[in-house]
């Protein structure tokens, strides 16, 4: 589906080029940190990682995962110096492993970003229905869906400004609460060793409780890798993307580790598991309300007003994540359409330089799924949120592994000024960590997605998945194969606009 051969270059550029120069380092970081939804991770994932995982050492698990992803970022940032493309992952994989592998990976990336957006739509609707009422969850989800669609059709810097304001409020609330708790010292004082002692971090083994903590930590970081997606819209991609990548990973890692450590300190390291269970239990069901752990600590150490602010900011955090992943998914569709792999219409932009057709298609997909879940009366949290968030993180880590391999292969063939740490050592270490992370995510998928087979205790037995669990785990790998076959069958790609994966 290449563009017509007689299309003037200037006209082609006007219709297939994203709005350049709109984003700086800070703007991209806003999108990426917003996608990680720190407040949602701290209220949802950390309590589970503490109780089912490695207890007081859960902050250490977040730190280890952050270091792994920082190593991934070394090669990723180096690659961004050579390639600038709105479909960053598939462009990088295509450069290293060939066009077919690159295009196949793009299908998985689109799956991942659409899936995590659907998960957030479910959670947002459930929280709004619980806090505000008036409308059912699906109505609130569709209201958010409409707003996200409109914002995604505007200039990218408009979305960045919205995300920036919401994110700064969210980060401020988390940092203030953490500092106040640590300054107080909690009931037992600050016990740094209990949370960051390597022995404590891996206590229970990777096949046991430590593996559970690592799985939830990996799940919390999804979205950090989106920096390079905005390269075409940045002021100077060769400088901005690497800076934004490092800054985003460092900010997310420090924030997650700091807040998790403050939560442990606030409850006392020796009793953190029992206290987390106590604070999160509803109707004798532990972890039924994990957000109450952080809210209770905020009330105790800062004041009831902070808990109220956080309960509101959870909603803004979710909305910010929706907008960030809408942008990520639509830019992958845009890159694929521009290259002729998908219909060419997807590779066009509107007068504001936004990938309008791709954004509309993304919204149509998510809107249809929301309606289906509403019609069949499926639960917005137990089904929509847990199923699709688990699916998305397995898909993203799979692609990150392929990116690491592609980076090593590419730089071996195309030597430049990059050093051996950037091109070999860091990618190798990141690959090892990510492969391990993927194994933990898949083996503990029943806990992540709530898809445990009947009669199986997921805290003891890995891989005990229901039928829907196995389908969701296998889907990214199946789609990778399908994408590869589609790529081989496509003979009319636009070699000019897909040049980044045809080299």
């Amino acid at each position: 589906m290449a563009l017509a051969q007689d299309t003037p270059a200037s006209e082609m550029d006007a219709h297939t080029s994203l709005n350049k120069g709109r984003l700086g380092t800070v703007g991209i970081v806003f999108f990426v940190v917003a996608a990680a939804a720190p407040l949602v991770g701290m209220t949802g994932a950390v309590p589970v990682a503490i109780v089912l995982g490695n207890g007081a050492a859960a902050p250490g698990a977040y730190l280890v995962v952050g270091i792994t992803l920082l190593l991934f970022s070394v090669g990723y940032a180096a690659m961004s110096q050579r390639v600038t493309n709105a479909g960053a992952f598939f462009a990088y994989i295509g450069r290293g492993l060939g066009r077919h592998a690159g295009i196949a990976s793009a299908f998985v990336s689109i799956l991942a970003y659409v899936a995590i957006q659907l998960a957030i739509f479910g959670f947002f609707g459930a929280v709004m229905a619980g806090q505000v009422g008036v409308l059912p969850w699906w109505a609130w989800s569709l209201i958010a869906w409409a707003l996200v669609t409109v914002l995604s059709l505007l200039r990218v810097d408009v979305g960045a400004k919205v995300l920036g304001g919401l994110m700064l409020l969210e980060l401020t609330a988390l940092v203030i609460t953490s500092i106040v708790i640590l300054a107080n010292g909690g009931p037992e004082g600050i016990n740094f060793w209990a949370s960051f002692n390597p022995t404590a971090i891996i206590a229970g083994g990777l096949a046991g409780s430590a593996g559970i903590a690592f799985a939830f930590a990996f799940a919390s970081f999804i979205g950090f890798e989106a920096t390079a997606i905005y390269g075409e819209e940045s002021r100077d991609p060769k400088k901005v993307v690497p800076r934004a990548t490092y800054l985003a990973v460092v900010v997310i890692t420090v924030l997650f580790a700091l807040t998790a450590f403050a939560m442990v300190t606030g409850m006392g390291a020796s009793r953190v598991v029992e206290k987390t269970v106590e604070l999160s239990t509803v109707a004798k069901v532990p972890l039924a309300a994990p957000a109450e752990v952080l809210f209770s600590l905020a009330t105790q150490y800062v004041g009831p007003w902070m808990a109220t602010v956080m309960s509101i900011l959870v909603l803004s955090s979710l909305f910010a994540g929706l907008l960030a992943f809408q942008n990520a998914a639509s830019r992958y569709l845009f890159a694929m359409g521009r290259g002729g792999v998908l219909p060419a219409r997807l590779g066009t932009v509107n007068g504001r330089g936004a990938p309008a057709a791709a954004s509309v298609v993304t919204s149509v997909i998510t809107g249809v799924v929301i309606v289906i879940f509403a019609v069949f009366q499926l639960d917005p949290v137990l089904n929509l949120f847990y199923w699709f968030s688990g699916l998305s993180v397995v898909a993203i880590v799979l692609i990150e592994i392929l990116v690491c391999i592609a980076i090593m292969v590419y730089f071996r063939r195309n030597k430049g000024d990059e050093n051996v740490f950037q091109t070999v050592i860091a990618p190798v270490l990141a690959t090892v960590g990510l492969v391990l992370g993927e194994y933990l995510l898949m083996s503990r998928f029943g806990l992540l997605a709530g898809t445990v087979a009947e009669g199986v205790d997921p805290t003891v037995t890995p891989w005990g998945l229901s039928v829907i669990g196995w389908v969701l785990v296998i889907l990214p790998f199946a789609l990778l194969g399908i994408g590869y076959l589609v790529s081989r069958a496509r003979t009319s790609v636009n070699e000019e606009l897909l040049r980044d994966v045809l080299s």
Side-chain angles (χ1 to χ4, degrees):
M1 280 195 172
L3 294 172
Q5 294 299 316
D6 58 353
T7 302
S10 59
E11 182 180 338
M12 183 177 69
D13 290 342
H15 289 91
T16 62
S17 296
L18 294 167
N19 205 336
K20 300 181 186 301
R22 286 290 174 187
L23 293 174
T25 300
V26 175
I28 295 177
V29 171
F30 280 165
F31 274 116
V32 173
V33 177
L39 186 54
V40 177
M42 294 300 96
T43 55
V46 171
V48 181
I50 290 172
V51 175
L52 302 181
N54 51 5
Y62 278 84
L63 181 61
V64 170
V65 170
I67 291 172
T68 300
L69 297 178
L70 192 59
L71 289 170
F72 169 85
S73 300
V74 172
Y76 189 60
M79 197 69 170
S80 71
Q81 298 282 332
R82 303 285 192 101
V83 182
T84 302
N85 189 285
F89 272 2
F90 95 84
Y92 294 0
I93 293 172
R95 279 291 186 97
L97 303 181
R99 187 190 89 186
H100 300 314
I103 291 174
S105 72
F107 283 89
V108 182
S109 294
I110 293 169
L111 170 69
Y113 290 127
V114 171
I116 191 60
Q117 194 183 17
L118 283 166
I120 298 173
F121 272 125
F123 200 58
F124 180 88
V127 173
M128 284 295 292
Q131 290 190 12
V132 180
V134 183
L135 300 173
W137 74 267
W138 53 266
W140 287 115
S141 294
L142 289 175
I143 290 172
W145 171 86
L147 291 173
V148 166
T149 300
V150 171
L151 285 173
S152 70
L153 297 175
L154 301 176
R155 290 185 332 200
V156 69
D157 57 333
V158 174
K161 290 172 182 176
V162 173
L163 288 176
L166 297 175
M167 192 196 72
L168 286 175
L169 290 173
E170 182 181 346
L171 298 188
T172 300
L174 287 172
V175 170
I176 289 175
T177 301
S178 298
I179 290 175
V180 171
I181 292 174
L182 293 174
N184 179 281
E188 300 176 5
I190 295 177
N191 190 341
F192 186 85
W193 194 240
S195 292
F196 299 103
N197 174 7
T199 303
I201 293 172
I202 62 172
L206 295 178
S209 56
I212 295 173
F214 281 117
F216 276 88
F218 267 105
S220 298
F221 276 83
I222 187 170
F224 88 93
E225 73 293 327
T227 50
I229 291 174
Y230 300 101
E232 290 187 41
E233 295 159 278
S234 66
R235 299 189 183 102
D236 185 354
K238 304 301 183 186
K239 293 181 180 179
V240 168
V241 171
R243 290 174 184 169
T245 301
Y246 288 126
L247 182 58
V249 175
V250 169
V251 167
I252 295 170
T253 301
V254 171
L255 185 67
F256 281 4
L258 174 68
T259 306
F261 181 54
M263 291 170 68
V264 170
T265 301
M267 291 181 280
S270 68
R271 295 189 64 251
V272 67
V273 174
E274 294 84 353
K275 192 66 177 177
T276 301
V277 170
E278 175 189 330
L279 294 175
S280 65
T281 297
V282 176
K284 297 184 180 180
V285 179
L287 296 174
E292 288 304 315
V293 178
L294 182 58
F295 292 168
S296 296
L297 290 171
T299 298
Q300 178 183 349
Y301 289 97
V302 183
W305 65 270
M306 180 59 83
T308 302
V309 168
M310 283 185 170
S311 67
I312 296 171
L313 288 177
V314 164
L315 293 169
S316 68
S317 177
L318 290 168
F319 185 81
L322 287 172
L323 184 55
F325 286 116
Q326 172 85 3
N327 284 327
S330 63
R331 276 153 182 77
Y332 265 89
L333 288 172
F334 165 82
M336 296 281 278
R338 186 172 61 175
V341 180
L342 294 177
R345 177 63 179 164
L346 293 174
T348 60
V349 298
N350 60 17
R352 298 180 179 87
S359 291
V360 169
V361 169
T362 301
S363 291
V364 168
I365 294 171
T366 54
V368 168
V369 174
I370 292 170
V371 170
I372 290 173
F373 270 67
V375 169
F376 286 93
Q377 298 183 346
L378 294 170
D379 191 271
V381 176
L382 297 180
N383 301 133
L384 189 55
F385 176 72
Y386 283 121
W387 289 0
F388 284 103
S389 59
L391 167 63
S392 65
V393 70
V394 170
I396 281 294
V397 174
L398 169 61
I399 297 305
E400 289 170 354
I401 293 169
L402 293 177
V403 169
C404 285
I405 297 171
I407 287 170
M408 289 184 282
V409 173
Y410 174 82
F411 281 113
R412 184 172 182 177
R413 295 173 180 167
N414 302 273
K415 306 227 180 253
D417 296 332
E418 297 83 5
N419 58 51
V420 69
F421 182 75
Q422 292 174 295
T423 61
V424 179
I425 297 175
V428 166
L429 293 175
T431 301
V432 172
L434 289 168
V435 169
L436 178 58
E438 184 78 323
Y439 169 79
L440 295 174
L441 288 166
M442 294 173 68
S443 64
R444 296 295 176 179
F445 193 81
L447 275 174
L448 283 172
T451 56
V452 181
E454 188 175 350
V456 173
D457 182 354
T459 64
V460 176
T461 307
W463 299 105
L465 303 178
S466 63
V467 173
I468 186 66
W470 281 112
V471 169
L472 292 173
V473 162
I474 294 172
L475 185 56
F477 298 88
L479 193 58
L480 187 69
I482 293 171
Y484 185 85
L485 295 177
V486 169
S487 178
R488 292 192 68 87
R490 296 294 276 174
T491 58
S492 58
V493 297
N494 188 314
E495 299 202 4
E496 175 62 22
L497 292 178
L498 203 62
R499 60 189 178 274
D500 285 328
V501 294
L502 289 172
S503 301

